[in-house]
Amino acid sequence: MSTAQGARARARIEVTAAIKDEARRQLAAEGAAKLSLRSVARELGMVSSALYRYFPSRDELLTALIIDAYDSLGEAAEAAHATAADADHVRRWTAVCERVRAWALAHPHEYALIYGSPVPGYAAPETTVPAASRVGLLLIGIVRDAHRRPGLADLPLPGELRPEAERMAADLAPDLPPQAAVALVAAWAELFGLVGFELFGQFHRVVEDRETFFRHAAARLAHGVGLRP
Amino acid sequence: MSTAQGARARARIEVTAAIKDEARRQLAAEGAAKLSLRSVARELGMVSSALYRYFPSRDELLTALIIDAYDSLGEAAEAAHATAADADHVRRWTAVCERVRAWALAHPHEYALIYGSPVPGYAAPETTVPAASRVGLLLIGIVRDAHRRPGLADLPLPGELRPEAERMAADLAPDLPPQAAVALVAAWAELFGLVGFELFGQFHRVVEDRETFFRHAAARLAHGVGLRP
DNA sequence: CCAATGCAAGAGCACTGCTCTCGTTTTTGT
DNA sequence: ACAAAAACGAGAGCAGTGCTCTTGCATTGG
């Protein structure tokens, strides 16, 4: 039987956590490109080959960090949503958007890891999907609330788009009108376009008061999906 | 005086071009991470150290490729704009957007290089700015045309945003109303959010008919900046 | 108690960016 | 036209990387 897992098993999860912590430290400090297995091992006082008992490759380590980053961002966004629970739909939407931006500015390298170019060979493994969906699900929830109250403006749905819109709505939010689903996905992508452009320097000498600019852009996105104050 | 530059100077620009060509080949085939100076040199039949006579570092080579990529994208977008010169403003806008998307899908690694996470240490050098602005200038031109005809819808300008809006308009397009400038910059960033999400796999199992989805998202962006058919 | 497994260490391979030196060739100033 | 200066290609070498394989020790489980 043995209730308490042996000392070995406990040591394993501790070492695994220590590796991830040190790797995350190096990622935050220098970026994914400069993160090296050898230097993580060195910092932890072990030899590089020992590290392969815990992660089969550098890419696997990075994947673990990717999932953690998605979770950290999702948690932050959910917390922002919770503290704005009493506000109207537009304010809840912008609260989530602003928190996403704040998280990105605070964790630029983690953000680049998950929303920048895929760093490894490429193709994010399927295991990252649940963690990656958290912000999206949050935004869907806000629009769903607005639709139930009711308070979701009706959007036009061009005929050409109807089949895809219905498919998307069926997968994402069967209770929402199809045009809301497409508007939502578009706004979701556009939100990260705004954040990414600011973070990666495209707004250099273009936007100065980025906080104000972003707040209004986020409000315009909310308006675009049909939310009204 | 000496009109025809010496054979040495001519050889230099030829070798420089050959290096860039081979580097671009490897970039397109394997991505920026796998592009190595040594393998470029190997493929060109020279030794790696000789390559440093032409590019002082790997990052400088990458910077040259970045500028070329911006120019290639800008050229494609301008060509699309030219062939749609007779159409209405919305169609010209969407033509440019769709060409940007098509270029990104055709050159994923180049796109990742310029709009993904900055690959080197980071911070794109100032020399990339002119090439990077071409698509933005194109979009500004379309809105300016619409404003002159006239046919640019009036957008609201919240008081809080007015100072930044006026600053942006002064820098970007003094002849446009301030609110058009902010809407333009936001739409510009959002456009690349849409493209990036599709390219980097965020639409996996979310959007199926991506062409149709994108066309309508681009049209919605046009509407958002005040363009009307 | 003993065999099977988990683990850390070390050596080693193939690769990278980059530097320095050493002849050779081309350009330039007088 | 000739010598000094600059540009160039080749090679060796340094420090670093991801990853594999073998060896010996510690911890498990039957």
Side-chain angles (χ1 to χ4, degrees):
Chain A
M1 45 190 75
S2 87
T3 57
Q5 280 297 339
R8 190 145 226 169
R10 214 171 320 120
R12 173 166 248 281
I13 67 175
E14 264 175 34
V15 173
T16 306
I19 292 172
K20 282 212 295 187
D21 281 359
E22 176 58 26
R24 187 167 19 244
R25 236 189 37 93
Q26 296 195 10
L27 169 64
E30 300 269 20
K34 305 236 170 177
L35 185 153
S36 95
L37 278 184
R38 289 182 112 108
S39 92
V40 168
R42 209 178 300 132
E43 214 68 26
L44 262 52
M46 45 171 133
V47 86
S48 74
S49 60
L51 217 144
Y52 284 81
R53 301 269 173 195
Y54 300 89
F55 293 93
S57 76
R58 180 180 180 276
D59 284 4
E60 292 278 339
L61 214 194
L62 269 183
T63 301
L65 294 185
I66 286 175
I67 294 175
D68 285 2
Y70 273 127
D71 274 327
S72 167
L73 170 61
E75 208 167 315
E78 283 162 16
H81 181 251
T83 64
D86 298 332
D88 63 75
H89 301 120
V90 174
R91 283 193 67 85
R92 282 160 65 200
W93 172 282
T94 54
V96 169
C97 291
E98 286 174 50
R99 194 68 188 81
V100 168
R101 170 178 176 267
W103 188 93
L105 294 180
H107 307 87
H109 289 123
E110 281 95 329
Y111 185 90
L113 190 61
I114 58 185
Y115 289 110
S117 10
V119 203
Y122 80 129
E126 207 71 25
T127 54
T128 66
V129 170
S133 317
R134 291 176 66 168
V135 171
L137 292 176
L138 206 51
L139 297 178
I140 291 177
I142 294 173
V143 174
R144 179 181 293 122
D145 276 4
H147 182 246
R148 276 212 271 251
R149 299 281 174 134
L152 191 63
D154 206 23
L155 304 169
L157 175 56
E160 190 194 17
L161 192 55
R162 169 169 288 276
E164 176 63 15
E166 284 173 350
R167 189 180 317 124
M168 289 171 59
D171 281 6
L172 258 51
D175 50 339
L176 287 183
Q179 58 268 44
V182 295
L184 201 36
V185 170
W188 173 58
E190 288 160 6
L191 163 64
F192 287 92
L194 290 164
V195 173
F197 259 37
E198 174 173 354
L199 195 65
F200 296 153
Q202 304 277 358
F203 285 166
H204 184 62
R205 296 187 190 283
V206 176
V207 185
E208 296 291 333
D209 184 355
R210 291 167 191 166
E211 179 130 8
T212 305
F213 173 81
F214 181 85
R215 179 166 35 247
H216 286 85
R220 276 169 36 94
L221 287 180
H223 191 270
V225 299
L227 299 180
R228 299 291 180 267
Chain B
M1 45 193 69
S2 87
T3 56
Q5 279 297 338
R8 189 144 226 170
R10 212 171 321 119
R12 173 166 247 281
I13 68 175
E14 266 175 33
V15 173
T16 306
I19 292 171
K20 282 212 295 187
D21 281 358
E22 176 58 27
R24 189 171 12 250
R25 237 190 36 92
Q26 295 195 10
L27 170 64
E30 299 269 21
K34 304 235 170 176
L35 184 153
S36 95
L37 277 185
R38 290 184 111 109
S39 92
V40 169
R42 210 178 299 133
E43 214 68 25
L44 262 52
M46 45 171 134
V47 85
S48 74
S49 60
L51 216 143
Y52 284 82
R53 303 272 177 196
Y54 300 88
F55 294 92
S57 77
R58 181 181 180 275
D59 284 4
E60 292 277 339
L61 213 194
L62 270 183
T63 300
L65 295 184
I66 286 176
I67 294 176
D68 285 1
Y70 273 127
D71 274 327
S72 167
L73 171 60
E75 209 167 313
E78 283 161 16
H81 181 250
T83 64
D86 298 332
D88 62 76
H89 301 121
V90 173
R91 284 193 67 85
R92 284 161 62 199
W93 173 281
T94 54
V96 170
C97 291
E98 284 173 52
R99 193 68 188 80
V100 168
R101 169 177 176 268
W103 187 93
L105 293 179
H107 307 87
H109 289 123
E110 280 96 328
Y111 184 90
L113 190 61
I114 58 184
Y115 289 110
S117 11
V119 203
Y122 82 128
E126 208 71 27
T127 55
T128 66
V129 170
S133 317
R134 291 177 66 167
V135 171
L137 292 177
L138 205 51
L139 297 178
I140 291 176
I142 295 174
V143 174
R144 180 180 291 123
D145 275 4
H147 181 244
R148 277 211 271 253
R149 298 279 174 136
L152 191 63
D154 206 24
L155 304 170
L157 175 57
E160 190 194 17
L161 192 55
R162 171 168 287 275
E164 177 64 15
E166 284 174 351
R167 188 181 318 124
M168 288 172 58
D171 281 6
L172 258 52
D175 50 338
L176 287 183
Q179 58 268 43
V182 295
L184 200 37
V185 170
W188 172 58
E190 288 160 6
L191 162 64
F192 286 92
L194 290 164
V195 173
F197 258 37
E198 174 174 354
L199 195 64
F200 296 152
Q202 304 277 357
F203 284 167
H204 184 61
R205 296 185 189 284
V206 176
V207 185
E208 296 291 333
D209 184 354
R210 290 168 192 166
E211 180 130 8
T212 306
F213 173 81
F214 180 85
R215 178 166 37 247
H216 286 84
R220 277 168 36 95
L221 287 180
H223 191 270
V225 299
L227 298 181
R228 299 291 180 269

